[in-house]
Amino acid sequence: MSKLLIKNGRVIDPLSNTDRVMDILVDGNRIIKMEASIPGNDCEVIDARDKLVFPGLIDMHVHLREPGYEHKETIESGTRSAAAGGFTTVVCMPNTNPVIDNPAMMEYIKLKAEKEGHVRVKVVAAITKGSKGEELSPMGEMAGYGAVAFSDDGKPVTSSILMKRAMEYASMWDVPIISHCEDLDLRGDGLMNEGEMSTILGMRGIPSAAEEVMVARDIALARYTGCRLHIAHISTGYSVEMVRHAKAEGVQVTAEATPHHFSLSDRAVDGYSSMTKVNPPLRTEADVEAVKKGLADGTIDVIATDHAPHHRDDKEVEYSLAAFGISGLETAVSLAVTNLLKPGVLTPLQMAERMSLAPAQILKIDGGYLKEGGPADITIIDPDCEVVVDAEKFASKGRNTPFGGMKLWGKVTHTIVDGKIK
Ligand code: DOR
């Protein structure tokens, strides 16, 4: 019985603009039929009544931590976490130890993922050797090896001339540069967003301008070089405004926002829980609203988690010593359903676009759509199921979440990768 029949689901396909109740028949690793009613003889049947059937979700910003930081996450645990969260593909960032800055490292990740991975894994390669910001990595070779993008994520490329050269090279292979926009001088040793809350709490602040000056620089460089630029984890209203303006001008820029940046403001830091410590930091309520507006009007193309798992020892310390980052794979869908879908910020079609089709198109990954003959990567979500976030039950090794104990809407009921239920 290799056939799988998904019955009566609300099928959402952003590529064909389909939002209709129908059945999907999977045979092996392909979708072979999509029709109003398909008989279920000799099939394993999934009852998807009142559920959303999305193309498999793609998270284009994930830290799998392997090699080097296996106590925080491994390719095995990270991809298990992805499957639990509804993601059929994850794109891993190169800030491992050693850094993914050469084809041998890419091969290592590829082989490990094939052997131990629960979902598909694509690799972002480093822009500079060791992500040190000093010398370009062998970008051409890595593009040939399947790097879907280049980034020194976790750090900015401080040198503008190096970033310009990186963009010139990347555009030769039409591979995007993902920019971690941060001016390190402006960030200083800040711990949270600089503003009223940081003053009230007596914490050193990170100004919104630390992000914005780099967004401005990189848009100018993308405009100049013609490179495709993707802004990672956008968090401020003015950054969103700059991307909106640049897009209107025809600059090839896209952007992503994380679930924590559309769900929480810096007020969540009240109480000093290190679970709220993340980079870029949680911003003001006005910024959260601007991010939501950007997601709604398409200025922000993608929802990506910036899944940054950390060990207990990295987080169970005073705020100033704690690591930056949130373990995000297993709460992303519920946060999107609760804070975007239910309040009508996004339609189901828009949610599927931001979490599946758009990342596929930006990174040129085959996926993000549901059609006969297409890959059987499918995510089924019950939007009306209430969940209580319990980090102790995460598949991820990283239990670092500020959402623990929160009641949310939306549960991933099935993650299907290559025709197999995970
Ligand atoms: O909070 C963060 N954690 N932001 C980043 O940019 C990097 C990430 C990490 O690798 O832990």
Side-chain angles (χ1 to χ4, degrees):
M1 208 166 58
S2 77
K3 286 190 187 164
L4 183 65
L5 180 62
I6 303 166
K7 276 209 84 69
N8 296 314
R10 182 171 168 194
V11 174
I12 308 292
D13 175 40
L15 188 64
S16 62
N17 216 23
T18 302
D19 176 350
R20 193 167 359 121
V21 173
M22 63 173 134
D23 296 351
I24 296 183
L25 183 62
V26 170
D27 190 359
N29 63 0
R30 297 270 130 191
I31 292 173
I32 57 165
K33 205 184 269 189
M34 292 173 61
E35 271 174 19
S37 180
I38 303 171
N41 315 324
D42 293 337
C43 295
E44 182 179 349
V45 178
I46 295 175
D47 177 14
R49 189 176 296 277
D50 299 327
K51 298 194 178 113
L52 297 166
V53 180
F54 276 15
L57 304 182
I58 299 171
D59 189 348
M60 69 179 286
H61 194 139
V62 171
H63 297 277
L64 290 178
R65 305 293 194 214
E66 189 177 352
Y69 307 103
E70 288 86 349
H71 60 297
K72 295 179 192 255
E73 194 78 289
T74 61
I75 290 172
E76 192 283 322
S77 64
T79 55
R80 196 152 36 85
S81 171
F87 294 95
T88 57
T89 299
V90 291
V91 180
C92 65
M93 285 295 170
N95 63 339
T96 49
N97 187 14
V99 167
I100 307 172
D101 63 0
N102 63 71
M105 281 298 299
M106 291 186 63
E107 186 65 13
Y108 173 82
I109 304 289
K110 225 191 262 181
L111 289 176
K112 267 264 178 175
E114 270 165 28
K115 209 163 130 210
E116 296 167 15
H118 299 275
V119 304
R120 299 177 199 274
V121 176
K122 301 281 180 189
V123 180
V124 175
I127 298 172
T128 65
K129 286 189 184 164
S131 285
K132 290 193 179 130
E134 292 163 0
E135 199 185 338
L136 290 182
S137 63
M139 294 171 69
E141 269 182 78
M142 293 195 289
Y145 240 80
V148 292
F150 296 107
S151 183
D152 277 357
D153 182 67
K155 290 180 188 169
V157 176
T158 297
S159 159
S160 303
I161 184 66
L162 210 56
M163 190 57 138
K164 172 177 172 281
R165 287 196 194 121
M167 286 194 189
E168 283 165 350
Y169 279 121
S171 62
M172 281 166 50
W173 306 286
D174 194 25
V175 173
I177 293 272
I178 301 178
S179 181
H180 170 110
C181 291
E182 184 178 32
D183 181 309
L184 292 178
D185 291 330
L186 284 174
R187 173 185 132 184
D189 54 3
L191 303 169
M192 65 175 290
N193 182 56
E194 182 170 278
E196 197 187 332
M197 273 317 284
S198 64
T199 306
I200 291 169
L201 296 174
M203 298 243 262
R204 293 186 298 272
I206 303 173
S208 52
E211 173 175 308
E212 290 153 357
V213 294
M214 285 299 242
V215 171
R217 182 200 74 173
D218 287 347
I219 286 174
L221 290 175
R223 183 172 178 272
Y224 186 78
T225 60
C227 178
R228 288 198 290 131
L229 167 69
H230 180 79
I231 308 285
H233 41 55
I234 198 164
S235 73
T236 85
Y238 189 53
S239 294
V240 176
E241 198 42 53
M242 284 188 277
V243 171
R244 187 176 284 121
H245 183 261
K247 281 188 168 188
E249 257 210 313
V251 181
Q252 298 211 69
V253 58
T254 53
E256 72 190 28
T258 70
H260 45 273
H261 287 117
F262 66 67
S263 300
L264 289 179
S265 73
D266 56 357
R267 285 173 191 266
V269 185
D270 195 356
Y272 301 94
S273 166
S274 65
M275 296 302 179
T276 62
K277 187 173 174 187
V278 67
N279 188 25
L282 302 172
R283 301 288 189 185
T284 66
E285 281 175 5
D287 292 313
V288 173
E289 286 315 306
V291 166
K292 285 194 204 169
K293 188 162 172 279
L295 281 164
D297 71 13
T299 300
I300 302 173
D301 309 74
V302 170
I303 295 169
T305 64
D306 192 6
H307 177 73
H310 287 294
H311 191 267
R312 240 174 237 286
D313 293 352
D314 303 315
K315 279 292 195 181
E316 287 181 4
V317 288
E318 62 193 86
Y319 208 94
S320 61
L321 298 176
F324 286 98
I326 290 173
S327 178
L329 284 166
E330 289 165 76
T331 48
V333 164
S334 305
L335 290 168
V337 169
T338 306
N339 297 319
L340 303 176
L341 202 61
K342 291 272 183 196
V345 176
L346 295 185
T347 63
L349 270 169
Q350 287 172 317
M351 178 173 154
E353 182 163 359
R354 307 281 180 272
M355 297 186 82
S356 183
L357 181 63
Q361 288 177 332
I362 292 165
L363 303 175
K364 298 191 181 162
I365 294 171
D366 182 26
Y369 59 89
L370 294 169
K371 80 170 180 207
E372 290 179 1
D377 286 3
I378 303 166
T379 302
I380 307 177
I381 299 164
D382 182 348
D384 301 316
C385 180
E386 216 176 30
V387 295
V388 178
V389 178
D390 181 357
E392 291 311 311
K393 296 214 173 100
F394 279 2
S396 170
K397 288 192 187 183
R399 273 91 208 259
N400 45 307
T401 176
F403 301 105
M406 251 183 221
K407 257 194 200 166
L408 301 170
W409 292 107
K411 183 180 163 60
V412 174
T413 61
H414 298 83
T415 305
I416 299 164
V417 184
D418 227 14
K420 294 182 203 74
I421 301 172
K422 292 293 165 176

